[in-house]
Amino acid sequence: MIRKFLTAQYSRYGYYHFLRESLKQKKFEYSDIVSPKNKNAEEIVIVGSGESLNDLSQEEIIKYGEMDSIGINFSGFHKSLKCKECLIELKPDSYSLFAKLITNNPGQKMYINHFMAKNLKDQDILIDLYSKKNIFSFDVVRFRSSSISTFRRLMSFHLRIGHFFVRKPIHNGASLVMALTIAAIRKYKRIHIVGVDLNGSNYFYENGDYLGHPWEELCSRRTPEVISFEKNNKKHATQSSEFAQQWQEFSIDETVPFIIDYLKNCDVQIVVPNPASGFNAYLK
């Protein structure tokens, strides 16, 4: 057991050293992403990639643009609503698309979940991304349990106490869980949920405003199995226990309601402006 632990630690830090040396700087360190970026802010908007983003009014875009904001994956590339922070958690074969979209804009910080990015075959893509001034790395807490009740107890402990010692958000089932736990740990009083449609609708980039490469390639990455499930069930794949079990995780139908209850007990108000969003079911 000791040998396995030492081997894992050597592999982990050896890989850090490799990246640091490749970049010839000490920038590659896990960011304390759970610390508030604006300590006086009481509101945050969490932005998903649903097609309802395209229906936002100019007034809403301005309002959300002034708040602290966390975008999930490709929502950071919406043409109108620009998130201040973005959580990037992609399958290894999608980073080449992400690299083509990213711009060296210090005003928009991109945080890559290195737990998944480290499996990227073409490490040159990752090294190039980390060389940009607005790209950072972060790590997550991944509680592994076959029991949802045990997972919820661990989650509750981390949100109340554990995060003081382990400065990481929780991940299980979807990037939405990370965004919600970051908002919880930062202790915002009001959380706006925008573009998190969860109703079987398309993504914002599946329309005429987002044509050509790499958007068309991104659309083609969705498997027929996932598309069929989402259209027939009016849900997102991350809400399915069947899909979640393939990833040895829980669905957001099992995790998000618990986070919502925790937030409500902390007197946090959750606002979902889209009445058609499936997220509303978690607020009942």
Side-chain angles (χ1 to χ4, degrees):
M1 181 180 293
I2 294 176
R3 185 173 66 180
K4 287 183 178 179
F5 173 79
L6 292 175
T7 300
Q9 294 302 307
Y10 175 80
S11 175
R12 176 185 178 191
Y13 290 105
Y15 187 73
Y16 291 176
H17 178 74
F18 160 73
L19 280 176
R20 285 196 180 107
E21 287 300 304
S22 298
L23 294 173
K24 299 190 183 305
Q25 59 172 305
K26 294 185 178 181
K27 176 191 170 183
F28 183 79
E29 297 175 352
Y30 281 150
S31 301
D32 183 3
I33 195 171
V34 298
S35 292
K37 303 301 180 265
N38 180 359
K39 294 184 178 180
N40 296 320
E42 294 192 347
E43 295 184 271
I44 188 171
V45 56
I46 293 175
V47 183
S49 297
E51 65 177 350
S52 64
L53 282 186
N54 298 328
D55 298 326
L56 294 176
S57 66
Q58 189 62 32
E59 183 181 35
E60 289 175 312
I61 290 171
I62 293 172
K63 179 178 73 171
Y64 296 135
E66 292 174 348
M67 294 181 189
D68 281 8
S69 54
I70 292 180
I72 298 171
N73 291 322
F74 287 97
S75 65
F77 300 107
H78 190 265
K79 292 182 178 180
S80 300
L81 181 58
K82 300 299 182 183
C83 301
K84 293 182 174 68
E85 302 173 87
C86 294
L87 305 180
I88 307 301
E89 181 189 55
L90 305 174
K91 294 179 181 178
D93 62 354
S94 294
Y95 277 93
S96 60
L97 301 179
F98 172 71
K100 292 171 184 174
L101 289 167
I102 189 66
T103 56
N104 202 357
N105 176 14
Q108 188 181 46
K109 295 182 178 179
M110 299 279 184
Y111 293 89
I112 293 177
N113 180 353
H114 194 68
F115 179 85
M116 297 185 69
K118 67 183 180 183
N119 296 317
L120 183 63
K121 290 183 180 180
D122 188 351
Q123 289 295 310
D124 287 340
I125 293 177
L126 197 60
I127 291 171
D128 181 63
L129 285 172
Y130 284 138
S131 69
K132 298 182 184 299
K133 294 180 180 180
N134 62 321
I135 301 290
F136 302 89
S137 175
F138 76 100
D139 197 8
V140 295
V141 175
R142 303 175 67 89
F143 297 124
R144 292 300 189 189
S145 174
S146 59
S147 166
I148 186 62
S149 60
T150 300
F151 175 81
R152 286 170 177 168
R153 285 196 295 270
L154 292 170
M155 181 187 290
S156 177
F157 175 80
H158 186 74
L159 291 177
R160 290 183 293 109
I161 301 172
H163 72 271
F164 288 109
F165 305 97
V166 181
R167 306 294 293 167
K168 302 175 184 179
I170 298 169
H171 178 278
N172 196 289
S175 304
L176 177 61
V177 172
M178 291 191 298
L180 286 170
T181 56
I182 289 172
I185 293 171
R186 290 185 183 178
K187 300 188 184 303
Y188 291 102
K189 293 300 182 183
R190 187 177 297 105
I191 301 172
H192 300 260
I193 307 294
V194 175
V196 182
D197 294 347
L198 304 181
N199 56 15
S201 61
N202 292 331
Y203 290 104
F204 74 86
Y205 47 80
E206 295 181 284
N207 71 11
D209 292 333
Y210 297 84
L211 297 174
H213 187 75
W215 294 111
E216 290 179 357
E217 185 177 348
L218 181 61
C219 293
S220 69
R221 296 290 176 93
R222 299 178 68 193
T223 66
E225 182 185 14
V226 168
I227 293 173
S228 176
F229 170 84
E230 294 183 345
K231 297 301 181 185
N232 293 334
N233 295 278
K234 303 299 181 185
K235 285 189 170 185
H236 193 269
T238 54
Q239 295 175 272
S240 164
S241 296
E242 181 181 348
F243 284 109
Q245 287 170 3
Q246 295 176 15
W247 311 318
Q248 297 181 318
E249 296 184 340
F250 297 109
S251 71
I252 62 174
D253 278 356
E254 298 171 288
T255 56
V256 169
F258 181 83
I259 301 173
I260 298 300
D261 287 343
Y262 172 86
L263 291 168
K264 286 181 176 179
N265 289 333
C266 296
D267 296 322
V268 177
Q269 181 184 5
I270 301 171
V271 181
V272 184
N274 178 15
S277 171
F279 196 94
N280 289 295
Y282 298 140
L283 304 181
K284 298 179 180 178

